[in-house]
Amino acid sequence: MSDTQGDTDRIMPEVDREAANRAAIAARQARAELKRKLRTGELSPLKALEQSRVPGSPAASLRITDFLLSFPAIGSVKADRIRRDLAISDRKRLGGLGKLQRERLERFVRERTGARQTGGRPPLTVLAGPTAVGKGTVAAYVREHHPEVRLSVSATTRKPRPGEEHGVHYYFVDDEGFDRMLASDDLLEWATVHNQSRYGTPRGPAVEAARRGELMLLEIDLQGARQVRASMPEARLVFLAPPSWDELVNRLVGRGTEDAEERARRLETAKVELAAADEFDEIIVNDEVPRAAARLVELMRGDA
Ligand code: 5GP
């Protein structure tokens, strides 16, 4: 045994080494499963590329060559040539791509897969995700830059924040008003969010927009997203993910609009919500708002 090995043994106790081995085996299995899904077409390359923005995800640890080899009719010679054309080294994993490399690879994937319509245009699109991931910011960006998209205006029992307008950001109602909407079945879905206020989507405008084939976006919480899935299975559920957990905590604390108790409560909700990503049709990583918004609108239109 070399000295270095002896050092490692002393530094890393047996139990930790076993845990590390188990984690490595699990990561390999997750990567193998990902490759299988890519090869069979269960997962689109564009989706895998989006998922690889999440550090530590199986997609982030996928080597560029393995990614290219998962395409039909790309063998090792062609994969090498494409990789060199894209100026990406064979040691690179998807999670480690530079910004320009990622852009080039994404362009390649789009060209290769064509402007293929995947699921067609959904009647409604739901944007959900953990607290403070930036759903509101992405939705506001869509409102400003993509006028063809309609945003559903929710009813809520929460008090308006400065700058919020009744009928634009929310319909601000009292508890009795909310109860009346529930009693007359006026809400497509509703939930008590952060154990505090009630929020709900007015049914009429959402159903009407879906019927007319308009692009309709619901920015709601996870519980609401599940209800929409149950009542309207053709709706598309999009999960907005943070680039990392640390980033999410920073955003939550940095916002400064909530007190310590409220922040702790929201963090707890966020942990549970993050674990729900698998239930969604699509994941968009909110690393840059304009990019995330553009991807969202692309999905709403029914493009790949
Ligand atoms: P905020 O009070 O910060 O505007 O929103 C708090 C949370 O309520 C956000 O996670 C937002 O997505 C969610 N929310 C807003 N409108 C609705 C709605 O109509 N239904 C549900 N279920 N959640 C909503």
Side-chain angles (χ1 to χ4, degrees):
M1 194 189 286
S2 73
D3 282 354
T4 339
Q5 179 65 52
D7 284 349
T8 317
D9 279 354
R10 275 199 300 278
I11 293 164
M12 207 177 195
E14 184 67 23
V15 269
D16 288 357
R17 228 173 317 131
E18 271 177 29
N21 283 343
R22 270 201 305 278
I25 290 169
R28 263 202 305 279
Q29 282 171 343
R31 223 162 26 239
E33 175 62 7
L34 181 76
K35 283 192 245 177
R36 188 194 62 74
K37 283 188 174 163
L38 277 167
R39 273 197 310 274
T40 57
E42 262 172 76
L43 178 70
S44 81
L46 210 51
K47 272 197 202 176
L49 211 50
E50 183 67 35
Q51 289 173 7
S52 74
R53 292 175 183 271
V54 180
S57 64
S61 69
L62 189 67
R63 285 187 188 279
I64 175 71
T65 301
D66 287 332
F67 179 65
L68 292 172
L69 286 174
S70 71
F71 282 76
I74 294 186
S76 45
V77 175
K78 215 184 239 180
D80 266 358
R81 188 174 47 74
I82 296 166
R83 194 180 46 66
R84 276 198 301 273
D85 287 350
L86 297 170
I88 300 175
S89 114
D90 65 346
R91 289 186 312 280
K92 277 277 178 188
R93 294 174 189 268
L94 296 187
L97 294 173
K99 190 171 159 51
L100 294 177
Q101 287 179 326
R102 180 175 281 279
E103 279 172 16
R104 286 197 295 272
L105 182 59
E106 192 169 316
R107 209 172 310 128
F108 163 79
V109 170
R110 284 179 196 280
E111 278 165 17
R112 180 92 192 172
T113 52
R116 201 171 48 199
Q117 304 267 311
T118 45
R121 177 185 284 200
L124 289 181
T125 302
V126 170
L127 182 67
T131 306
V133 71
K135 275 175 299 178
T137 315
V138 171
Y141 190 92
V142 168
R143 190 200 300 267
E144 195 171 328
H145 294 87
H146 299 275
E148 73 277 26
V149 173
R150 274 189 63 188
L151 270 92
S152 157
V153 180
S154 301
T156 182
T157 57
R158 153 165 99 55
K159 297 272 169 292
R161 296 193 186 119
E164 284 183 335
E165 271 180 61
H166 181 78
V168 177
H169 299 92
Y170 283 106
Y171 294 107
F172 295 100
V173 298
D174 56 15
D175 270 317
E176 291 71 36
F178 204 92
D179 285 342
R180 271 196 302 277
M181 294 177 99
L182 283 179
S184 46
D185 199 24
D186 281 347
L187 299 177
L188 178 65
E189 61 74 36
W190 73 276
T192 303
V193 180
H194 309 308
N195 297 322
Q196 265 185 342
S197 310
R198 289 185 289 171
Y199 297 79
T201 304
R203 184 191 300 277
V207 171
E208 189 54 23
R211 200 185 53 74
R212 284 201 298 263
E214 293 173 2
L215 299 177
M216 180 63 148
L217 183 64
L218 273 56
E219 186 251 293
I220 59 178
D221 89 320
L222 182 65
Q223 311 164 70
R226 289 192 177 118
Q227 292 171 45
V228 174
R229 158 119 310 158
S231 60
M232 211 188 251
E234 328 78 68
R236 172 119 1 123
L237 266 51
V238 178
F239 188 86
L240 193 66
S244 69
W245 175 254
D246 285 351
E247 178 67 32
L248 183 65
V249 174
N250 283 345
R251 287 181 195 183
L252 206 55
V253 175
R255 198 154 74 168
T257 45
E258 293 85 19
D259 60 20
E261 196 186 327
E262 173 62 14
R263 276 204 303 273
R265 186 163 46 211
R266 288 188 170 211
L267 263 183
E268 204 40 55
T269 313
K271 261 191 220 166
V272 177
E273 288 183 340
L274 262 186
D278 286 350
E279 297 171 35
F280 282 68
D281 302 313
E282 304 283 345
I283 295 179
I284 296 180
V285 179
N286 189 19
D287 46 3
E288 289 168 28
V289 172
R291 191 201 70 80
R295 176 77 182 131
L296 176 63
V297 175
E298 183 181 41
L299 288 170
M300 293 185 74
R301 289 208 182 100
D303 299 340

